[in-house]
PDB file of all heavy atoms in Angstrom:
ATOM      1  N   LEU V 223     -13.373  37.228 -23.015  1.00 84.00           N
ATOM      2  CA  LEU V 223     -12.437  37.127 -24.063  1.00 84.00           C
ATOM      3  C   LEU V 223     -11.805  38.495 -24.552  1.00 84.00           C
ATOM      4  O   LEU V 223     -10.577  38.658 -24.636  1.00 84.00           O
ATOM      5  CB  LEU V 223     -13.068  36.459 -25.246  1.00 84.00           C
ATOM      6  CG  LEU V 223     -12.120  36.067 -26.455  1.00 84.00           C
ATOM      7  CD1 LEU V 223     -11.035  35.201 -25.926  1.00 84.00           C
ATOM      8  CD2 LEU V 223     -12.924  35.290 -27.479  1.00 84.00           C
ATOM      9  N   THR V 224     -12.704  39.496 -24.740  1.00 86.00           N
ATOM     10  CA  THR V 224     -12.242  40.821 -25.180  1.00 86.00           C
ATOM     11  C   THR V 224     -11.273  41.421 -24.134  1.00 86.00           C
ATOM     12  O   THR V 224     -10.171  41.902 -24.532  1.00 86.00           O
ATOM     13  CB  THR V 224     -13.397  41.787 -25.416  1.00 86.00           C
ATOM     14  OG1 THR V 224     -14.242  41.261 -26.389  1.00 86.00           O
ATOM     15  CG2 THR V 224     -12.901  43.127 -25.826  1.00 86.00           C
ATOM     16  N   GLY V 225     -11.598  41.371 -22.884  1.00 84.00           N
ATOM     17  CA  GLY V 225     -10.716  41.912 -21.840  1.00 84.00           C
ATOM     18  C   GLY V 225      -9.430  41.155 -21.732  1.00 84.00           C
ATOM     19  O   GLY V 225      -8.364  41.790 -21.599  1.00 84.00           O
ATOM     20  N   VAL V 226      -9.444  39.816 -21.886  1.00 85.00           N
ATOM     21  CA  VAL V 226      -8.226  39.054 -21.816  1.00 85.00           C
ATOM     22  C   VAL V 226      -7.310  39.348 -22.979  1.00 85.00           C
ATOM     23  O   VAL V 226      -6.085  39.534 -22.811  1.00 85.00           O
ATOM     24  CB  VAL V 226      -8.570  37.530 -21.754  1.00 85.00           C
ATOM     25  CG1 VAL V 226      -7.274  36.722 -21.978  1.00 85.00           C
ATOM     26  CG2 VAL V 226      -9.252  37.147 -20.407  1.00 85.00           C
ATOM     27  N   LEU V 227      -7.892  39.496 -24.188  1.00 86.00           N
ATOM     28  CA  LEU V 227      -7.079  39.765 -25.370  1.00 86.00           C
ATOM     29  C   LEU V 227      -6.438  41.183 -25.214  1.00 86.00           C
ATOM     30  O   LEU V 227      -5.274  41.407 -25.641  1.00 86.00           O
ATOM     31  CB  LEU V 227      -7.907  39.699 -26.614  1.00 86.00           C
ATOM     32  CG  LEU V 227      -8.379  38.342 -27.029  1.00 86.00           C
ATOM     33  CD1 LEU V 227      -9.248  38.414 -28.272  1.00 86.00           C
ATOM     34  CD2 LEU V 227      -7.182  37.440 -27.404  1.00 86.00           C
ATOM     35  N   ARG V 228      -7.096  42.088 -24.655  1.00 86.00           N
ATOM     36  CA  ARG V 228      -6.680  43.468 -24.404  1.00 86.00           C
ATOM     37  C   ARG V 228      -5.517  43.440 -23.490  1.00 86.00           C
ATOM     38  O   ARG V 228      -4.384  44.059 -23.697  1.00 86.00           O
ATOM     39  CB  ARG V 228      -7.766  44.384 -23.804  1.00 86.00           C
ATOM     40  CG  ARG V 228      -7.329  45.787 -23.738  1.00 86.00           C
ATOM     41  CD  ARG V 228      -8.364  46.688 -23.066  1.00 86.00           C
ATOM     42  NE  ARG V 228      -9.645  46.672 -23.890  1.00 86.00           N
ATOM     43  CZ  ARG V 228     -10.766  46.176 -23.513  1.00 86.00           C
ATOM     44  NH1 ARG V 228     -10.879  45.641 -22.361  1.00 86.00           N
ATOM     45  NH2 ARG V 228     -11.827  46.247 -24.314  1.00 86.00           N
ATOM     46  N   GLU V 229      -5.619  42.609 -22.404  1.00 82.00           N
ATOM     47  CA  GLU V 229      -4.527  42.553 -21.405  1.00 82.00           C
ATOM     48  C   GLU V 229      -3.306  41.801 -22.028  1.00 82.00           C
ATOM     49  O   GLU V 229      -2.153  42.289 -21.811  1.00 82.00           O
ATOM     50  CB  GLU V 229      -5.060  41.669 -20.212  1.00 82.00           C
ATOM     51  CG  GLU V 229      -6.067  42.328 -19.351  1.00 82.00           C
ATOM     52  CD  GLU V 229      -5.501  43.513 -18.560  1.00 82.00           C
ATOM     53  OE1 GLU V 229      -4.309  43.583 -18.325  1.00 82.00           O
ATOM     54  OE2 GLU V 229      -6.308  44.424 -18.217  1.00 82.00           O
ATOM     55  N   LEU V 230      -3.495  40.806 -22.769  1.00 82.00           N
ATOM     56  CA  LEU V 230      -2.380  40.169 -23.385  1.00 82.00           C
ATOM     57  C   LEU V 230      -1.671  41.007 -24.461  1.00 82.00           C
ATOM     58  O   LEU V 230      -0.449  40.918 -24.517  1.00 82.00           O
ATOM     59  CB  LEU V 230      -2.826  38.800 -24.071  1.00 82.00           C
ATOM     60  CG  LEU V 230      -3.330  37.714 -23.153  1.00 82.00           C
ATOM     61  CD1 LEU V 230      -3.915  36.515 -23.968  1.00 82.00           C
ATOM     62  CD2 LEU V 230      -2.216  37.231 -22.267  1.00 82.00           C
ATOM     63  N   THR V 231      -2.446  41.770 -25.190  1.00 82.00           N
ATOM     64  CA  THR V 231      -1.867  42.756 -26.159  1.00 82.00           C
ATOM     65  C   THR V 231      -1.035  43.753 -25.478  1.00 82.00           C
ATOM     66  O   THR V 231       0.102  44.072 -25.884  1.00 82.00           O
ATOM     67  CB  THR V 231      -2.979  43.324 -27.015  1.00 82.00           C
ATOM     68  OG1 THR V 231      -3.679  42.339 -27.733  1.00 82.00           O
ATOM     69  CG2 THR V 231      -2.358  44.261 -28.006  1.00 82.00           C
ATOM     70  N   ALA V 232      -1.564  44.365 -24.358  1.00 81.00           N
ATOM     71  CA  ALA V 232      -0.859  45.411 -23.584  1.00 81.00           C
ATOM     72  C   ALA V 232       0.468  44.744 -23.025  1.00 81.00           C
ATOM     73  O   ALA V 232       1.505  45.408 -23.076  1.00 81.00           O
ATOM     74  CB  ALA V 232      -1.708  45.913 -22.438  1.00 81.00           C
ATOM     75  N   ALA V 233       0.385  43.593 -22.474  1.00 74.00           N
ATOM     76  CA  ALA V 233       1.536  42.845 -21.915  1.00 74.00           C
ATOM     77  C   ALA V 233       2.594  42.690 -23.001  1.00 74.00           C
ATOM     78  O   ALA V 233       3.801  42.825 -22.751  1.00 74.00           O
ATOM     79  CB  ALA V 233       1.182  41.582 -21.280  1.00 74.00           C
ATOM     80  N   ARG V 234       2.175  42.280 -24.187  1.00 76.00           N
ATOM     81  CA  ARG V 234       3.167  42.105 -25.260  1.00 76.00           C
ATOM     82  C   ARG V 234       3.906  43.368 -25.697  1.00 76.00           C
ATOM     83  O   ARG V 234       4.962  43.399 -25.931  1.00 76.00           O
ATOM     84  CB  ARG V 234       2.502  41.477 -26.464  1.00 76.00           C
ATOM     85  CG  ARG V 234       3.390  41.140 -27.605  1.00 76.00           C
ATOM     86  CD  ARG V 234       2.658  40.552 -28.817  1.00 76.00           C
ATOM     87  NE  ARG V 234       2.177  39.237 -28.504  1.00 76.00           N
ATOM     88  CZ  ARG V 234       2.906  38.137 -28.618  1.00 76.00           C
ATOM     89  NH1 ARG V 234       4.164  38.191 -29.105  1.00 76.00           N
ATOM     90  NH2 ARG V 234       2.368  36.980 -28.363  1.00 76.00           N
ATOM     91  N   LYS V 235       2.975  44.424 -25.772  1.00 74.00           N
ATOM     92  CA  LYS V 235       3.559  45.830 -26.094  1.00 74.00           C
ATOM     93  C   LYS V 235       4.530  46.195 -25.046  1.00 74.00           C
ATOM     94  O   LYS V 235       5.681  46.735 -25.431  1.00 74.00           O
ATOM     95  CB  LYS V 235       2.423  46.806 -26.206  1.00 74.00           C
ATOM     96  CG  LYS V 235       2.841  48.181 -26.538  1.00 74.00           C
ATOM     97  CD  LYS V 235       1.647  49.082 -26.700  1.00 74.00           C
ATOM     98  CE  LYS V 235       2.118  50.556 -26.998  1.00 74.00           C
ATOM     99  NZ  LYS V 235       0.944  51.494 -27.088  1.00 74.00           N
ATOM    100  N   HIS V 236       4.246  46.146 -23.800  1.00 73.00           N
ATOM    101  CA  HIS V 236       5.119  46.527 -22.738  1.00 73.00           C
ATOM    102  C   HIS V 236       6.421  45.711 -22.771  1.00 73.00           C
ATOM    103  O   HIS V 236       7.524  46.202 -22.566  1.00 73.00           O
ATOM    104  CB  HIS V 236       4.481  46.376 -21.388  1.00 73.00           C
ATOM    105  CG  HIS V 236       3.397  47.385 -21.114  1.00 73.00           C
ATOM    106  ND1 HIS V 236       2.352  47.125 -20.298  1.00 73.00           N
ATOM    107  CD2 HIS V 236       3.115  48.506 -21.676  1.00 73.00           C
ATOM    108  CE1 HIS V 236       1.492  48.205 -20.263  1.00 73.00           C
ATOM    109  NE2 HIS V 236       1.968  49.052 -21.142  1.00 73.00           N
ATOM    110  N   ARG V 237       6.246  44.418 -23.037  1.00 72.00           N
ATOM    111  CA  ARG V 237       7.413  43.499 -23.039  1.00 72.00           C
ATOM    112  C   ARG V 237       8.321  43.896 -24.228  1.00 72.00           C
ATOM    113  O   ARG V 237       9.573  43.969 -24.063  1.00 72.00           O
ATOM    114  CB  ARG V 237       7.035  42.042 -23.175  1.00 72.00           C
ATOM    115  CG  ARG V 237       8.218  41.099 -23.251  1.00 72.00           C
ATOM    116  CD  ARG V 237       7.742  39.660 -23.415  1.00 72.00           C
ATOM    117  NE  ARG V 237       8.911  38.751 -23.508  1.00 72.00           N
ATOM    118  CZ  ARG V 237       9.548  38.184 -22.537  1.00 72.00           C
ATOM    119  NH1 ARG V 237       9.176  38.440 -21.308  1.00 72.00           N
ATOM    120  NH2 ARG V 237      10.571  37.381 -22.772  1.00 72.00           N
ATOM    121  N   THR V 238       7.753  44.191 -25.435  1.00 79.00           N
ATOM    122  CA  THR V 238       8.564  44.612 -26.614  1.00 79.00           C
ATOM    123  C   THR V 238       9.362  45.882 -26.305  1.00 79.00           C
ATOM    124  O   THR V 238      10.504  46.001 -26.596  1.00 79.00           O
ATOM    125  CB  THR V 238       7.617  44.771 -27.743  1.00 79.00           C
ATOM    126  OG1 THR V 238       6.905  43.467 -28.040  1.00 79.00           O
ATOM    127  CG2 THR V 238       8.442  45.139 -29.010  1.00 79.00           C
ATOM    128  N   GLU V 239       8.679  46.867 -25.688  1.00 81.00           N
ATOM    129  CA  GLU V 239       9.302  48.095 -25.387  1.00 81.00           C
ATOM    130  C   GLU V 239      10.430  47.912 -24.356  1.00 81.00           C
ATOM    131  O   GLU V 239      11.527  48.511 -24.532  1.00 81.00           O
ATOM    132  CB  GLU V 239       8.265  49.101 -24.840  1.00 81.00           C
ATOM    133  CG  GLU V 239       8.905  50.490 -24.376  1.00 81.00           C
ATOM    134  CD  GLU V 239       9.558  51.208 -25.531  1.00 81.00           C
ATOM    135  OE1 GLU V 239       9.381  50.922 -26.696  1.00 81.00           O
ATOM    136  OE2 GLU V 239      10.343  52.207 -25.136  1.00 81.00           O
ATOM    137  N   SER V 240      10.144  47.090 -23.355  1.00 83.00           N
ATOM    138  CA  SER V 240      11.195  46.739 -22.322  1.00 83.00           C
ATOM    139  C   SER V 240      12.295  46.017 -22.889  1.00 83.00           C
ATOM    140  O   SER V 240      13.522  46.357 -22.587  1.00 83.00           O
ATOM    141  CB  SER V 240      10.579  45.949 -21.218  1.00 83.00           C
ATOM    142  OG  SER V 240       9.454  46.621 -20.577  1.00 83.00           O
ATOM    143  N   GLU V 241      12.146  45.111 -23.873  1.00 84.00           N
ATOM    144  CA  GLU V 241      13.206  44.457 -24.507  1.00 84.00           C
ATOM    145  C   GLU V 241      14.082  45.409 -25.255  1.00 84.00           C
ATOM    146  O   GLU V 241      15.300  45.283 -25.310  1.00 84.00           O
ATOM    147  CB  GLU V 241      12.707  43.366 -25.427  1.00 84.00           C
ATOM    148  CG  GLU V 241      12.080  42.141 -24.660  1.00 84.00           C
ATOM    149  CD  GLU V 241      11.406  41.168 -25.590  1.00 84.00           C
ATOM    150  OE1 GLU V 241      11.106  41.596 -26.741  1.00 84.00           O
ATOM    151  OE2 GLU V 241      11.168  40.031 -25.144  1.00 84.00           O
ATOM    152  N   ARG V 242      13.443  46.318 -25.952  1.00 85.00           N
ATOM    153  CA  ARG V 242      14.187  47.370 -26.758  1.00 85.00           C
ATOM    154  C   ARG V 242      15.098  48.204 -25.855  1.00 85.00           C
ATOM    155  O   ARG V 242      16.276  48.447 -26.208  1.00 85.00           O
ATOM    156  CB  ARG V 242      13.220  48.268 -27.539  1.00 85.00           C
ATOM    157  CG  ARG V 242      13.909  49.232 -28.425  1.00 85.00           C
ATOM    158  CD  ARG V 242      12.927  50.217 -29.071  1.00 85.00           C
ATOM    159  NE  ARG V 242      12.326  51.021 -28.052  1.00 85.00           N
ATOM    160  CZ  ARG V 242      12.979  52.115 -27.483  1.00 85.00           C
ATOM    161  NH1 ARG V 242      14.213  52.418 -27.888  1.00 85.00           N
ATOM    162  NH2 ARG V 242      12.367  52.851 -26.601  1.00 85.00           N
ATOM    163  N   LEU V 243      14.547  48.594 -24.726  1.00 89.00           N
ATOM    164  CA  LEU V 243      15.369  49.386 -23.795  1.00 89.00           C
ATOM    165  C   LEU V 243      16.505  48.527 -23.197  1.00 89.00           C
ATOM    166  O   LEU V 243      17.727  49.075 -23.111  1.00 89.00           O
ATOM    167  CB  LEU V 243      14.485  49.865 -22.669  1.00 89.00           C
ATOM    168  CG  LEU V 243      13.431  50.975 -23.012  1.00 89.00           C
ATOM    169  CD1 LEU V 243      12.468  51.231 -21.864  1.00 89.00           C
ATOM    170  CD2 LEU V 243      14.106  52.132 -23.505  1.00 89.00           C
TER     171      LEU V 243
END
Side-chain angles (χ1 to χ4, degrees):
L223 190 55
T224 300
V226 169
L227 290 176
R228 184 183 301 115
E229 292 290 337
L230 292 175
T231 300
R234 180 182 293 275
K235 180 180 179 180
H236 290 155
R237 180 180 176 87
T238 301
E239 175 63 15
S240 299
E241 289 173 342
R242 184 187 66 77
L243 292 171

